[in-house]
Amino acid sequence: MKRTTLSRFLIEQQRTAGVLPGELRLLVEIVARACKAISHSVGRGALGGVLGSLDSENVQGEVQKRLDVIANEMLLDANEWGGHLAAMASEEMETIHLIPNRFPKGEYLLLFDPIDGSSNIDVGLSVGTIFSVLHAPTESATREVVEADFLQHGHTQVAAGYAIYGPQTLLVLTVGTGVFEFTLDREVGSWVMSDANITMPAGKREFAINMSNQRHWSPSMAAYVEACIAGASGPAGHDYNMRWTGSMVADVHRILKRGGVFLYPADSRTGQGKLRLMYEANPMAFLIEQAGGAATDGSERLLDIAPDALHQRVGVVLGDRGEVERVRELARMHREAS
Ligand code: P6P
């Protein structure tokens, strides 16, 4: 592959595809630059004093890892002065973050999970940063942005992506013209394109779910997983493999590159799922659909869900179209039978 950098790709998208306004190109560049700095901190680990937990909890009621807070601050500091944003929202902050008056405001909203999978940080497993970009309301030039301005359907996203801090540091991005992967060249400090127009392989029989939640699943979800485990001798008619890393970015990246299906269903504990709609499910759904896959909450298309709260949780079934459809069909049949 010709050595194309992120900057060159974004300029070409702006110039040729005409899909990337200058402000959005600047936004993506700045987020990518912040992810380089986060990658450095993640890579330092114990040597950088970034491991371990704080004695604080985030809005989700989860113990905050030191790196959660560090990465959150890095993304806020990198993005608030650029003039491309009207406000930001993060898994680590209860309310939205407005751009300080000393800086110009722009036409986009940025949402992020600064370190997704942070429970894996202290044990050396891959973690990542997930981000989503929405248009700010046109009137945000004359009034302050409010939380409700963020509550847009996932199909209104103008860009989405993740960085994965693993054996390599990768940035996977879509601006609505396909999915592109960049590998961080640490010696030069550049994001170098390593895969283009990614199409998720279809028909891969590999499912990713946390089996310890089985007793909480709906009957239809239990039936789907049971068929996967029964394999060729069961109703599915073929064997499956299983993977679960406990890090959504790692599981979704594997599925994007080699196929399969990721499931974190809503269950009886809360009636919702664990994952957050606005800055986990929606950006991943945008990427998966751009790569030819499907993404639902078990029944409804994720990108069509009308958000009603910034940190709302949702069930997630995404990846292979055939598998996502099988889950949806089982749910429909169980609804009709009940
Ligand atoms: P469980 C990480 O905390 C996360 O939000 C996702 O990255 C991951 O897919 C999921 O939760 C793991 O949840 O219940 O298996 O620990």
Side-chain angles (χ1 to χ4, degrees), residues 62 91 113 116-120 210 213 244 246-249 251 262 264 269 274-276 280:
E62 295 166 341
E91 181 195 57
D113 181 358
D116 180 74
S118 53
S119 60
N120 290 307
N210 182 336
N213 297 326
W244 186 250
S247 178
M248 185 184 198
V249 175
D251 281 320
F262 173 94
Y264 209 114
R269 286 173 290 182
K274 171 181 183 184
L275 303 177
R276 293 75 169 182
E280 289 175 331

Side-chain angles (χ1 to χ4, degrees), residues 81-151:
W81 51 267
H84 49 282
L85 289 179
M88 291 181 258
S90 164
E91 181 195 57
E92 298 303 326
M93 301 186 301
E94 184 153 6
T95 57
I96 63 174
H97 179 88
L98 298 176
I99 302 304
N101 287 330
R102 65 184 181 278
F103 297 130
K105 291 173 184 53
E107 59 187 87
Y108 295 103
L109 302 176
L110 176 66
L111 303 93
F112 48 82
D113 181 358
I115 295 287
D116 180 74
S118 53
S119 60
N120 290 307
I121 289 174
D122 299 345
V123 293
L125 294 178
S126 297
V127 294
T129 298
I130 307 172
F131 64 90
S132 171
V133 183
L134 299 169
H135 277 294
T138 47
E139 60 274 22
S140 64
T142 55
R143 69 157 171 82
E144 205 163 72
V145 170
V146 295
E147 189 167 301
D149 294 322
F150 281 78
L151 303 183

